[in-house]
Amino acid sequence: MVNNIESTVISSRVRLARNLADQPFPNRLKDVRAARQIVRSVFEAASCVRNFRLSWMDVVTDTVAQSLCDDHLISPGLAANKRCGAVLIADEADDAASGSRYSVVTGEEDGAPKGKFSVMINEEDHLREQYIVKGLNLPYAYLKISAVDDELSKRLRFAFDPQLGYLTACPTNLGTGLRASVMLFLPGLTRRKKMNKIIRDLSELGHTVRGVYGEGSAAEGYMYQVSNEVTLGVSEDYILSEVQRTVLEIVNFEAYARKDLASGGRTADLKDACCRAYGILCNCEKVSFREFLRLASDVKLGIALGWLETEDFSAVDDFIASVRPSNLDVLLDESLEPFERDAFRAQKCREFFRCVTRAEL
């Protein structure tokens, strides 16, 4: 059986908001040429640090933009900025293959977890730097993105006030400009109807709970983001430690909720639902993403409760992301009809779930 943290914490992300000194914030930046020059300046500075790939929002297709949103590398707000929006993306696996010198900057060791960098340019702020890594790894994620931020600050002059810290478009990001967020899988607390209380309690502690895609989004597939709300008057270490501590408490609450689910009077019904979901995904001929997500979430719950088995719980989450409509279209480099997409998704499901998961013997 997978452990509680592994089956509850999906990923960690640290994001830094930065603006260039002597430049209007993006919402007041009316000169498109000046805005596009900001993109070029940031790309030139970032290219000295890592092998970033530059994508302009007016060049990428809507499908690719949606795929980047689905992978949490850009926000819907940036995707909509066709005038001067852009993103820099770097995958550590690519850097390792190309012999990137960035490992010298961070002192990273072989075997360290690999994540993804992205720098959104001309979203709400001039720069939104972020690093995403699997599991509960907030200090590591901060180490990685902070190293990039330090190098960028040598080449770009950030707007900074001695009293207020980093100046940002939204006052809630003033100070450190740091948002630490963790993606959690919480079927137990959701099914036990405990999430509303959790959300209220966390709000009183200076944290916020959002859906899969941040503010205003739904908690699909029992997935929630927990992040800090306060960035002013506190240190980066304090933010990271408080979010990490809070997440570990939620992991414990979720473990108790799952135990209740597995020992209640309707355990047989729940086990049947999880195993039935596994059977459908191993044998379906077509499946919409909405139905797939519901079934895959039940399979994950079955794994967490020990009724189904897998050697790599995170592989299931990677697979869920890979069969989103936008990612299937990008994979095949064409815009599929819904029925074609549902059939292709079913084929991928049969291949994946038969090999990666299995029913308890």
Side-chain angles (χ1 to χ4, degrees):
M1 182 186 296
V2 293
N3 64 49
N4 290 332
I5 294 180
E6 181 186 359
S7 64
T8 303
V9 180
I10 307 305
S11 62
S12 301
R13 179 180 67 176
V14 171
R15 190 203 72 199
L16 301 175
R18 300 289 187 258
N19 285 285
L20 302 183
D22 304 324
Q23 290 284 358
F25 289 144
N27 65 331
R28 294 183 175 274
L29 193 57
K30 305 304 181 184
D31 188 337
V32 175
R33 288 178 299 177
R36 295 177 79 87
Q37 181 56 48
I38 288 174
V39 174
R40 287 187 282 269
S41 297
V42 173
F43 178 50
E44 181 180 346
S47 296
C48 297
V49 180
R50 179 172 283 281
N51 296 320
F52 280 104
R53 305 184 301 277
L54 171 64
S55 296
W56 293 89
M57 292 299 102
D58 62 346
V59 173
V60 301
T61 65
D62 290 341
T63 298
V64 169
Q66 184 59 52
S67 176
L68 293 174
C69 287
D70 288 344
D71 290 340
H72 305 282
L73 295 172
I74 67 172
S75 67
L78 182 68
N81 184 0
K82 302 296 184 183
R83 293 172 63 251
C84 54
V87 63
L88 309 180
I89 298 172
D91 189 317
E92 288 189 286
D94 295 339
D95 284 332
S98 62
S100 170
R101 64 183 180 277
Y102 184 70
S103 60
V104 176
V105 176
T106 61
E108 66 189 41
E109 299 178 359
D110 292 339
K114 302 297 183 184
K116 284 190 175 182
F117 296 90
S118 73
V119 181
M120 293 183 282
I121 310 174
N122 291 332
E123 194 227 29
E124 186 176 72
D125 296 290
H126 291 138
L127 289 84
R128 288 284 179 92
E129 313 163 28
Q130 64 176 18
Y131 183 83
I132 304 172
V133 65
K134 290 182 181 180
L136 186 55
N137 281 300
L138 283 176
Y140 180 77
Y142 176 70
L143 172 70
K144 302 291 285 187
I145 200 61
S146 179
V148 170
D149 186 64
D150 288 345
E151 292 299 313
L152 290 178
S153 68
K154 296 176 183 177
R155 299 167 174 85
L156 303 168
R157 193 159 69 91
F158 291 146
F160 184 85
D161 181 86
Q163 289 186 319
L164 297 176
Y166 290 100
L167 304 181
T168 56
C170 181
T172 60
N173 291 321
L174 275 173
T176 61
L178 186 154
R179 293 283 177 176
S181 62
V182 178
M183 189 75 74
L184 299 170
F185 175 60
L186 303 175
L189 291 170
T190 303
R191 282 176 168 266
R192 301 294 292 174
K193 303 187 184 305
K194 302 290 187 181
M195 282 308 302
N196 286 340
K197 183 178 187 306
I198 293 283
I199 292 171
R200 289 195 303 270
D201 291 346
L202 290 184
S203 178
E204 293 176 1
L205 294 173
H207 301 304
T208 186
V209 181
R210 296 189 172 102
V212 176
Y213 295 103
E215 188 171 0
S217 64
E220 61 178 34
Y222 307 125
M223 302 276 278
Y224 303 83
Q225 283 190 65
V226 174
S227 64
N228 63 297
E229 280 191 311
V230 179
T231 63
L232 180 64
V234 291
S235 68
E236 290 87 351
D237 287 343
Y238 177 84
I239 293 172
L240 296 171
S241 63
E242 282 299 294
V243 174
Q244 185 115 344
R245 180 187 61 79
T246 299
V247 166
L248 289 174
E249 288 186 2
I250 295 174
V251 168
N252 288 332
F253 293 149
E254 173 65 17
Y256 284 118
R258 291 178 186 178
K259 185 176 181 180
D260 286 344
L261 288 177
S263 60
R266 305 194 65 178
T267 300
D269 291 342
L270 181 58
K271 184 174 182 179
D272 178 72
C274 294
C275 294
R276 191 181 295 270
Y278 169 72
I280 293 173
L281 291 176
C282 284
N283 297 282
C284 58
E285 287 295 327
K286 66 182 183 67
V287 61
S288 69
F289 185 74
R290 180 184 294 272
E291 180 186 13
F292 161 78
L293 186 60
R294 176 179 61 79
L295 295 170
S297 299
D298 283 345
V299 168
K300 287 173 59 180
L301 176 57
I303 294 171
L305 295 176
W307 297 331
L308 298 168
E309 296 182 357
T310 183
E311 294 181 358
D312 186 358
F313 190 85
S314 67
V316 182
D317 290 299
D318 292 340
F319 180 75
I320 291 173
S322 74
V323 297
R324 287 184 176 276
S326 62
N327 285 336
L328 289 182
D329 287 354
V330 169
L331 176 65
L332 295 177
D333 195 24
E334 62 178 301
S335 182
L336 300 175
E337 294 294 330
F339 73 91
E340 294 175 314
R341 196 180 292 122
D342 292 350
F344 184 56
R345 181 181 297 110
Q347 175 191 330
K348 302 286 284 183
C349 285
R350 294 194 303 271
E351 295 169 355
F352 177 83
F353 285 99
R354 286 175 181 176
C355 294
V356 176
T357 61
R358 58 189 178 275
E360 181 188 29
L361 298 178

